[in-house]
Amino acid sequence: MSKRSVEKSWELHERAIKVVPMATQTHSKAPRQALREVEPCFLVRGDGCRVWDVDGNEYIDFRNGLGPVSLGYAYPSVNEAVARQLQDGVVFSYSHPLEVEIAERLVDIIPCAERVRFLKTGGEAMAATHRLARGFTGRDHILTCGYHGWVNSMGKGVPTPTKSTYTALPWGNIDAFQTAIDAQGADNIAAISVACDYAGVEQGHQFLPALRTMCDRIGAVLIFDEIVMGFRLRRAGAQEYFGVTPDLAVFAKGISNGVPLSTYLGRADIMDAVEKVVISSTFGGDTLGLAAAGAVLDIYEQEDVIGELWARGEQLHTGFAALAESQGVEANFAGLPPVGMLQLPDGVDRLQFEGACLNRGVITFSVYYPSYSHSEADIDEALGAMGAALQQIMSDPA
Ligand SMILES: Cc1ncc(COP(=O)(O)O)c(C=O)c1O
């Protein structure tokens, strides 16, 4: 088949690497040399479930901005709410009524939320919960599970004393948590901070209640990172789906359909410690993110967004499994329909599959996020491309 041209993308990439380290602000958006012929490094427009790159190519997108675009790109009522608010101003010298209104609405729908505060990114809001848990308990050590963003925990440059106050542990393995508690001493554990695994998410039925019991026993704060699961698995994320209420939680991606906003929320006594812990940001109460969140909350209230995310995810998962089976290939999706992970046979390069999909107009990654704008026809169209991509890479492995 004829290849699409992504020439302009890579020309821009050449310019970018001279002034922007890694040519991106987000590590997982960094273009991959192995996909030089097909990867669009720069996207310029989105509408519904589709995006367009600088070369003018159109794609059905399952990355959705790395997850936050849960309703779809340029979703009309969200855009209108942001545009309306923009006329009146973005940030002010005092708080804005939207901070109260959105906080009240989140208290109504999120089980753990008694108090609510806002920031801009998921990682800083997670760091805020860690500070709060430490300030509240007077303890330092935090057991973590999953990715919580770059602050304090990732990569080089984190001071050794800071690093030593975190222990990263595997999803689903409650014994590993008990061993870490024994090693650190129960009285030193400020919090257990957990983001759900994608492929093994269903273990949460046993694992999350066990973490709840563990935290209650040792007097530690239970924190759920709902950044991906919120407004996707359920409106109130894992805590609603699994029926386990944490002490604190963070929602970020789906809450405002891609307009930057994060919220840390939870038990009143812990959240009220914020005054002494000091978590403060000029842009915390930015009204554009809050206006977007208001429109998103309206849509989730009025329409069955969650049901659609599950239905379209299910269509994608079962459709792909059937295609793979018809080709005699052992490939399928693990995890739940709104957040699935593609599993290819051992030895098959996921990058090659992604390249073959890109060349057929579908953006994929390890995690697939259906949005409310993916119609049944869009999923069928994407499946056609993914089936052909699978056939190509199986008959012509790299
Ligand atoms: C589970 C989880 N937690 C935290 C983060 C960090 O959020 P942000 O990139 O907005 O700082 C991410 C981002 O992908 C995430 O997936």
Side-chain angles (χ1 to χ4, degrees):
M1 69 178 292
S2 68
K3 282 207 166 79
R4 297 162 158 233
S5 168
V6 286
E7 208 174 311
K8 286 187 187 154
S9 259
W10 285 86
E11 278 169 18
L12 198 49
H13 178 71
E14 290 307 314
R15 265 174 63 195
I17 52 176
K18 295 190 181 121
V19 285
V20 180
M22 295 181 69
T24 178
Q25 326 307 321
T26 313
H27 280 211
S28 50
K29 287 186 191 174
R32 294 152 298 181
Q33 285 297 333
L35 300 183
R36 209 171 192 308
E37 300 296 315
V38 286
E39 182 148 58
C41 317
F42 292 92
L43 301 177
V44 289
R45 191 167 78 81
D47 184 12
C49 72
R50 290 172 197 259
V51 291
W52 286 264
D53 68 16
V54 284
D55 288 273
N57 299 306
E58 176 179 327
Y59 304 85
I60 293 177
D61 188 6
F62 286 111
R63 288 190 86 183
N64 281 313
L66 313 187
V69 185
S70 51
L71 294 175
Y73 290 97
Y75 201 80
S77 61
V78 178
N79 277 8
E80 282 155 22
V82 172
R84 242 190 340 266
Q85 181 56 44
L86 187 58
Q87 302 305 314
D88 287 339
V90 180
V91 281
F92 295 97
S93 318
Y94 290 98
S95 294
H96 188 278
L98 272 172
E99 295 169 52
V100 188
E101 187 189 309
I102 303 301
E104 285 172 347
R105 293 182 73 177
L106 294 175
V107 167
D108 282 347
I109 63 168
I110 296 176
C112 79
E114 294 173 349
R115 299 278 192 275
V116 180
R117 267 182 141 222
F118 300 104
L119 285 165
K120 290 283 91 185
T121 69
E124 62 168 339
M126 283 308 300
T129 63
H130 293 178
R131 279 282 298 276
L132 271 176
R134 288 173 168 139
F136 181 76
T137 60
R139 305 169 178 184
D140 279 348
H141 205 86
I142 296 187
L143 308 181
T144 66
C145 178
Y147 176 64
H148 292 318
W150 68 271
V151 186
N152 282 344
S153 51
M154 296 288 293
K156 288 186 168 192
V158 182
T160 306
T162 305
K163 232 181 226 169
S164 70
T165 61
Y166 288 97
T167 305
L169 296 165
W171 169 258
N173 186 343
I174 198 74
D175 292 343
F177 282 74
Q178 188 55 54
T179 304
I181 289 168
D182 294 342
Q184 296 295 333
D187 289 352
N188 294 318
I189 307 293
I192 295 179
S193 175
V194 58
C196 290
D197 186 65
Y198 304 131
V201 60
E202 285 289 64
Q203 284 174 283
H205 290 291
Q206 298 79 40
F207 184 51
L208 295 179
L211 290 183
R212 177 70 275 175
T213 305
M214 191 170 253
C215 283
D216 291 343
R217 183 165 47 77
I218 66 173
V221 175
L222 180 62
I223 304 168
F224 281 5
D225 176 337
E226 303 269 24
I227 291 168
V228 167
M229 296 303 173
F231 295 86
R232 183 156 283 281
L233 218 50
R234 291 285 187 267
R235 219 166 28 162
Q239 58 192 279
E240 186 179 341
Y241 181 73
F242 292 109
V244 177
T245 304
D247 300 305
L248 297 177
V250 168
F251 290 71
K253 296 194 191 238
I255 193 170
S256 42
N257 198 43
V259 183
L261 180 73
S262 59
T263 173
Y264 57 107
L265 39 75
R267 256 172 56 188
D269 53 348
I270 307 176
M271 289 291 294
D272 286 343
V274 80
E275 191 177 344
K276 294 218 166 62
V277 171
V278 184
I279 297 161
S280 178
S281 168
T282 306
F283 297 120
D286 137 66
T287 59
L288 299 187
L290 292 167
V296 168
L297 288 168
D298 286 346
I299 296 160
Y300 274 76
E301 215 168 270
Q302 293 154 9
E303 300 175 26
D304 186 15
V305 178
I306 295 290
E308 272 299 301
L309 297 181
W310 278 77
R312 297 290 71 77
E314 185 65 31
Q315 184 190 348
L316 178 70
H317 290 201
T318 53
F320 186 76
L323 280 169
E325 196 181 356
S326 72
Q327 294 179 27
V329 180
E330 269 190 45
N332 56 23
F333 278 91
L336 292 170
V339 201
M341 277 197 95
L342 185 68
Q343 316 279 304
L344 292 171
D346 285 347
V348 173
D349 185 7
R350 181 167 62 81
L351 212 55
Q352 205 193 350
F353 178 71
E354 285 176 22
C357 287
L358 284 171
N359 200 32
R360 291 170 171 81
V362 180
I363 296 179
T364 65
F365 200 61
S366 52
V367 184
Y368 287 58
Y369 300 110
S371 80
Y372 191 48
S373 289
H374 283 96
S375 67
E376 267 187 73
D378 293 322
I379 299 287
D380 281 341
E381 185 182 332
L383 280 169
M386 290 166 68
L390 186 67
Q391 198 158 30
Q392 180 203 318
I393 65 157
M394 295 311 293
S395 62
D396 181 21

